[in-house]
Amino acid sequence: MPGKTCRRKTVRHKAVRTLVHGYAALLVRGRLWDGRTVPLVAGRYGPEAGPALPLVVLGDSSALTVGVMEARHTNGARLAGDLVAEWGCAVDLDVPARAGVTTAGMARQVEDVAARNKPGVALILIGGNDVMVPVSLRRSAARLGYYVRLLRASGWEVVVGACADIGAAPALRRAVRGPASRRSRVLARRQAAAALRAGAVVVSLSMEDFRHQPERLYCPDGFHPNADGYLLYERRAAVAVSAAAGRLPAVTPREPAGRPDEVFPDGWEAARHVTREPGACFVPAQAGGPVSLHRYRPRQRRDAATCPSPVTTAP
């Protein structure tokens, strides 16, 4: 029976991917890049010896970093480098993300990570495909909340990047852009509410840069960001990932950005602001409890060439 159930899930996930690709042909001009060109970046970053902080990046093409050609420009490598520099320990990076998946299709990623013996920080970037296909956004957000609860019950600290504005992509046909932007905002708020209630740190990925400077921030397919575009997301996600790392039992607790700029009584109220506060980090005191908002403040960045490279390759 377990094998039969697994086969049914595989067939269902393949059907969803086929649906996504089919809709993409109708809604997007030109051919989209896929995940086959993304460099492999899993492995250990920082000191070869000593304890390491596990970091996993789950989700769709935005988590996989489809649109970049160099390993040092991927979300995973950049975040691992930031954590090594900030915390001084090694980082064991894994990127189970898959291009083309919806929230429903990433269940296996989450289940595999939840089953690991050594928990750490899990970053979830998902939602673009949910926006583009006719699925229930309410159900997608509910599934995301379930994934957060499953990971946290296994000891993981979770960061969720609330859905960015998919409608800003220049590759979208003109009639699609408005509805895609509206669905993106609705999903971002629902994702934030569900994730905060489940105890995840949430980062707002809403920003106008992609709409105003598409030629600078998108890769040649006009849908996925390029290295500069992903850097905008990573800079904001890095604050939330560091805040989540500071909540792990083995790490000295630390506030993400000093005193909060605002405190909301619960996740529902905080979620209303996730599309109004570009780059903000939302940190729940506990699942279902008050939420602290930390507005985005640029940090001094290291040159990408100085980011540590993996010293080992994950099996």
Side-chain angles (χ1 to χ4, degrees):
M1 286 298 291
K4 189 176 293 186
T5 301
C6 184
R7 284 194 296 273
R8 282 200 297 267
K9 284 185 177 180
T10 300
V11 170
R12 186 165 61 249
H13 294 165
K14 286 182 177 179
V16 170
R17 285 199 297 271
T18 301
L19 179 64
V20 169
H21 293 313
Y23 263 81
L26 294 173
L27 307 179
V28 179
R29 298 190 301 268
R31 187 173 181 177
L32 299 184
W33 287 18
D34 57 32
R36 287 177 292 183
T37 59
V38 179
L40 300 177
V41 294
R44 175 163 292 200
Y45 289 70
E48 187 169 358
L53 171 67
L55 171 66
V56 297
V57 187
L58 309 171
D60 56 18
S61 59
S62 61
L64 192 60
T65 329
V66 172
V68 304
M69 304 299 293
E70 296 184 46
R72 66 193 179 98
H73 292 152
T74 61
N75 290 326
R78 282 170 164 166
L79 287 167
D82 284 338
L83 287 173
V84 170
E86 183 163 359
W87 296 99
C89 65
V91 173
D92 283 336
L93 172 67
D94 190 17
V95 186
R98 296 285 300 275
V101 300
T102 61
T103 305
M106 64 173 288
R108 181 174 294 181
Q109 296 178 36
V110 174
E111 291 165 359
D112 288 347
V113 169
R116 299 182 185 183
N117 293 326
K118 187 179 179 183
V121 177
L123 170 63
I124 299 176
L125 298 173
I126 193 73
N129 296 313
D130 297 76
V131 168
M132 297 297 292
V133 299
V135 299
S136 166
L137 300 184
R138 184 188 300 272
R139 187 172 299 173
S140 295
R143 282 197 177 99
L144 179 62
Y146 166 75
Y147 295 155
V148 172
R149 289 191 295 273
L150 180 63
L151 289 167
R152 284 180 52 77
S154 301
W156 289 82
E157 289 296 336
V158 184
V159 176
V160 171
C163 186
D165 181 7
I166 305 303
L172 288 182
R173 300 188 188 278
R174 187 176 300 276
V176 177
R177 295 177 187 174
S181 290
R182 288 191 292 274
R183 280 178 63 84
S184 297
R185 290 191 294 271
V186 171
L187 181 57
R189 290 192 292 267
R190 290 190 182 280
Q191 285 180 327
L196 290 168
R197 290 202 311 274
V201 177
V202 172
V203 58
S204 167
L205 297 181
S206 297
M207 57 189 83
E208 291 295 313
D209 306 63
F210 287 88
R211 191 172 294 278
H212 298 320
Q213 304 178 64
E215 68 288 342
R216 186 175 73 85
L217 299 176
Y218 283 97
C219 80
D221 74 359
F223 186 79
H224 296 99
N226 59 16
D228 289 335
Y230 280 116
L231 181 60
L232 292 183
Y233 288 142
E234 188 275 335
R235 284 177 172 175
R236 288 148 180 82
V239 178
V241 170
S242 179
R247 289 156 48 127
L248 289 168
V251 177
T252 304
R254 186 189 304 177
E255 283 291 326
R259 300 174 67 88
D261 294 293
E262 199 165 346
V263 178
F264 301 101
D266 54 48
W268 283 110
E269 184 63 28
R272 294 173 54 194
H273 293 260
V274 76
T275 58
R276 306 175 192 171
E277 294 279 356
C281 179
F282 298 79
V283 184
Q286 58 187 10
V291 176
S292 299
L293 179 150
H294 299 262
R295 292 191 173 91
Y296 175 68
R297 296 176 178 84
R299 295 177 173 180
Q300 185 174 0
R301 306 293 297 184
R302 295 166 293 117
D303 185 87
T306 67
C307 291
S309 298
V311 294
T312 61
T313 302

